[in-house]
Amino acid sequence: MNQLASVTTPTELILNLTPLEIVAALDKHIIGQHKAKRSVAVALRNHYRRRRLSEDLQAEVTPKNILMIGPTGVGKTEIARRLAKLAKAPFIKVEATKFTEVGYVGRDVESIVRDLIQAAYVMVEEEKLELVQERASQNAEEKLLDYLLPGGTTEGREKMRELLKAGKLEERSIEIEVKDERPSPLMMPGMEEMGVNLQDMLSNIMPKRQVRRKASVKEAREALKGEEAEKLIDYDEVAREAIYRAENAGIVFLDEIDKIAGSEGVSGPDVSGEGVQRDLLPVVEGTQVTTRYGQVRTDHVLFIGAGAFNVSKPSDLIPELQGRFPIRVELEELSASDFQRILTQPQHSLTKQYIELLKVDGNHVTFDESGIVAIAEYSERVNQEVEDIGARRLHTVLETVLEDISFGTNLGQVVIDGEYVRKKLEDIVEDEDLSRYVL
């Protein structure tokens, strides 16, 4: 598989993987849903393809947004999240039901863009900080020596440096001067929703004051290292790169989009729901939003809408918004065989997680194949009889099966086989009222 390109220049940001390689990478973490994986793989690859076109043509090629249709717990969010992680792209998940139309109290849709640029900014800042860690460590060491031996001779300073590197001064208490990180009293609830943060506007007039505090050498080193790293970064460049990355590689997962659509048996869409849809339209279509880091355009942001659509249907969305999600993909309900694969095949499967967690307390758990089959079958049965919550059912079933083991310590070897699972679950599953509360 090809490697991600360096992120030092904007043109190298887009992932250079073929759709086949992207699907193979997603398969390591997500079972099934091949159609959805193909769709997002193509959408991501098109980001890369577009960056290889002439600048004039780049502006004309817009992303083909995707609408995922399927019940909860089948992998919609996980596919989008893993895709963004694979691409090292700015990613946010938002719920359509959290927004209100313009003029009402609540979150406005432009906050989607502000959240996306914030995610991009944090991502770029972390990368830049990583690049300057070595130099920041050196600078922090010099400042530590200044605090440990103020005005000392060169010879004394070098001896102190040797003690410092040997780790013999880690617990010594010193007084250092650092920035006051306490929140400003000027920040008020809801202010983060504004395009320009008042605290940012006043930061140049009222910069953070320096405060003196006592700390061990070990604690002081980390605090000073962080401050020195920040001094080595050009934050204007961080903002520029964050804007570029959000605009050209950003991914927004818009969940519960079906909840703002009309439903069957209703003469028309809910008024506030339709209002939110109309507010969403320019953001999805491509608009310019003012943020604390500058103007951000959404023309080439990839939007992935998702919803169960068990009451409403995609055609209940307003026609203009429907047209902005040209790729429709229906995710399949999960069966017992899917659950078996989910329990064992992913790189960090649930069974592997529980085995390692319980090993901490001396409980060496082994999952027999018959136990895996039984857990999967009970999960499918409860989903069919109570409510289908997809793979999330595995968490509740596993917690119930492993409850006694989780409570105990140093139990030694424990085998989870079919009989063990049946003893734990049979009575609960047979009693529908009980299964509703327990599983």
Side-chain angles (χ1 to χ4, degrees):
M1 185 180 289
N2 297 331
Q3 296 297 314
L4 284 171
S6 166
V7 295
T8 52
T9 59
T11 55
E12 296 174 339
L13 290 176
I14 310 302
L15 182 73
N16 182 14
L17 295 179
T18 67
L20 193 63
E21 290 171 329
I22 295 168
V23 170
L26 292 174
D27 283 341
K28 292 179 181 178
H29 305 281
I30 303 161
I31 297 301
Q33 310 301 2
H34 193 65
K35 288 181 181 177
K37 290 175 184 173
R38 282 173 60 98
S39 296
V40 297
V42 170
L44 183 60
R45 180 64 178 180
N46 282 339
H47 267 307
Y48 172 80
R49 290 167 176 156
R50 187 181 73 86
R51 295 302 303 164
R52 295 301 179 268
L53 303 177
S54 65
E55 288 191 11
D56 290 345
L57 193 53
Q58 279 185 39
E60 298 299 322
V61 178
T62 55
K64 304 301 182 284
N65 298 321
I66 301 166
L67 185 60
M68 291 187 184
I69 303 163
T72 183
V74 296
K76 300 188 295 293
T77 306
E78 192 63 14
I79 287 172
R81 197 189 309 279
R82 291 288 179 182
L83 183 77
K85 190 173 182 181
L86 176 67
K88 292 191 176 177
F91 171 80
I92 60 163
K93 176 192 173 184
V94 294
E95 295 176 3
T97 52
K98 295 290 177 68
F99 300 105
T100 59
E101 58 181 311
V102 173
Y104 289 80
V105 175
R107 296 199 79 190
D108 66 279
V109 295
E110 288 191 350
S111 65
I112 293 173
V113 185
R114 292 194 281 272
D115 290 345
L116 182 65
I117 186 62
Q118 183 62 36
Y121 187 90
V122 170
M123 178 182 288
V124 175
E125 183 184 33
E126 286 176 352
E127 291 172 3
K128 300 289 187 188
L129 287 170
E130 188 64 32
L131 291 173
V132 299
Q133 285 305 298
E134 187 175 344
R135 191 174 162 195
S137 294
Q138 294 170 357
N139 293 351
E141 183 179 285
E142 296 302 324
K143 291 200 78 171
L144 264 179
L145 290 170
D146 291 339
Y147 286 118
L148 287 164
L149 198 66
T153 63
T154 303
E155 184 180 353
R157 190 178 179 90
E158 289 308 310
K159 285 182 179 178
M160 188 67 77
R161 190 191 304 276
E162 288 175 13
L163 291 172
L164 195 60
K165 288 185 175 179
K168 295 180 179 179
L169 305 174
E170 294 299 282
E171 301 306 319
R172 178 180 290 193
S173 179
I174 59 173
E175 193 175 67
I176 60 173
E177 197 172 71
V178 291
K179 286 181 184 175
D180 186 1
E181 296 296 337
R182 288 175 296 180
S184 168
L186 293 169
M187 280 296 291
M188 293 179 286
M191 195 175 290
E192 67 276 2
E193 293 295 327
M194 297 170 60
V196 180
N197 193 313
L198 181 58
Q199 190 173 8
D200 292 337
M201 292 171 61
L202 297 174
S203 61
N204 292 328
I205 305 171
M206 300 172 61
K208 285 188 177 180
R209 62 193 181 94
Q210 295 288 111
V211 294
R212 297 188 71 85
R213 67 180 179 89
K214 285 190 175 182
S216 67
V217 167
K218 185 178 180 180
E219 294 169 337
R221 182 187 289 106
E222 291 304 311
L224 294 171
K225 184 178 172 182
E227 285 198 357
E228 291 302 313
E230 288 179 4
K231 291 177 185 176
L232 295 170
I233 293 176
D234 181 350
Y235 278 93
D236 288 336
E237 183 186 345
V238 172
R240 287 193 298 271
E241 191 167 331
I243 290 172
Y244 174 86
R245 200 175 298 195
E247 289 182 337
N248 291 278
I251 299 175
V252 173
F253 184 77
L254 190 58
D255 203 7
E256 296 188 350
I257 199 169
D258 56 319
K259 302 295 194 303
I260 59 170
S263 58
E264 294 180 5
V266 179
S267 58
D270 175 73
V271 175
S272 62
E274 183 174 328
V276 173
Q277 290 182 62
R278 295 199 179 281
D279 288 347
L280 276 171
L281 187 59
V283 176
V284 177
E285 188 176 27
T287 189
Q288 185 167 283
V289 176
T290 301
T291 73
R292 60 192 296 188
Y293 304 113
Q295 299 291 323
V296 178
R297 293 206 62 86
T298 63
D299 301 69
H300 300 290
V301 172
L302 175 64
F303 288 86
I304 301 176
F309 287 98
N310 48 14
V311 176
S312 59
K313 50 188 182 293
S315 59
D316 290 324
L317 294 167
I318 60 173
E320 299 92 331
L321 193 60
Q322 288 181 51
R324 295 301 164 188
F325 290 89
I327 300 175
R328 310 277 175 87
V329 56
E330 190 166 353
L331 282 80
E332 303 156 4
E333 292 185 5
L334 300 173
S335 64
S337 61
D338 291 324
F339 287 148
Q340 289 178 41
R341 294 169 62 204
I342 289 169
L343 285 168
T344 57
Q345 289 185 11
Q347 193 171 8
H348 302 292
S349 66
L350 281 175
T351 52
K352 291 173 187 173
Q353 292 176 33
Y354 276 102
I355 287 169
E356 294 303 317
L357 279 171
L358 296 170
K359 193 183 290 183
V360 173
D361 290 327
N363 304 329
H364 298 276
V365 175
T366 304
F367 285 89
D368 185 77
E369 187 176 347
S370 63
I372 296 290
V373 170
I375 291 169
E377 288 176 348
Y378 277 116
S379 297
E380 182 186 46
R381 180 176 167 186
V382 176
N383 272 351
Q384 290 174 345
E385 295 177 357
V386 179
E387 186 175 356
D388 190 353
I389 61 171
R392 293 188 177 94
R393 185 70 66 188
L394 291 173
H395 290 272
T396 53
V397 170
L398 269 170
E399 282 290 337
T400 304
V401 169
L402 299 172
E403 183 180 13
D404 291 339
I405 303 171
S406 298
F407 188 75
T409 57
N410 297 311
L411 300 178
Q413 294 286 343
V414 182
V415 178
I416 309 297
D417 55 15
E419 184 181 353
Y420 187 97
V421 174
R422 279 189 289 275
K423 283 181 181 177
K424 291 290 181 184
L425 298 179
E426 192 67 49
D427 292 340
I428 297 173
V429 174
E430 290 299 327
D431 187 334
E432 188 175 326
D433 289 333
L434 191 58
S435 64
R436 283 181 184 275
Y437 289 101
V438 178
L439 300 175

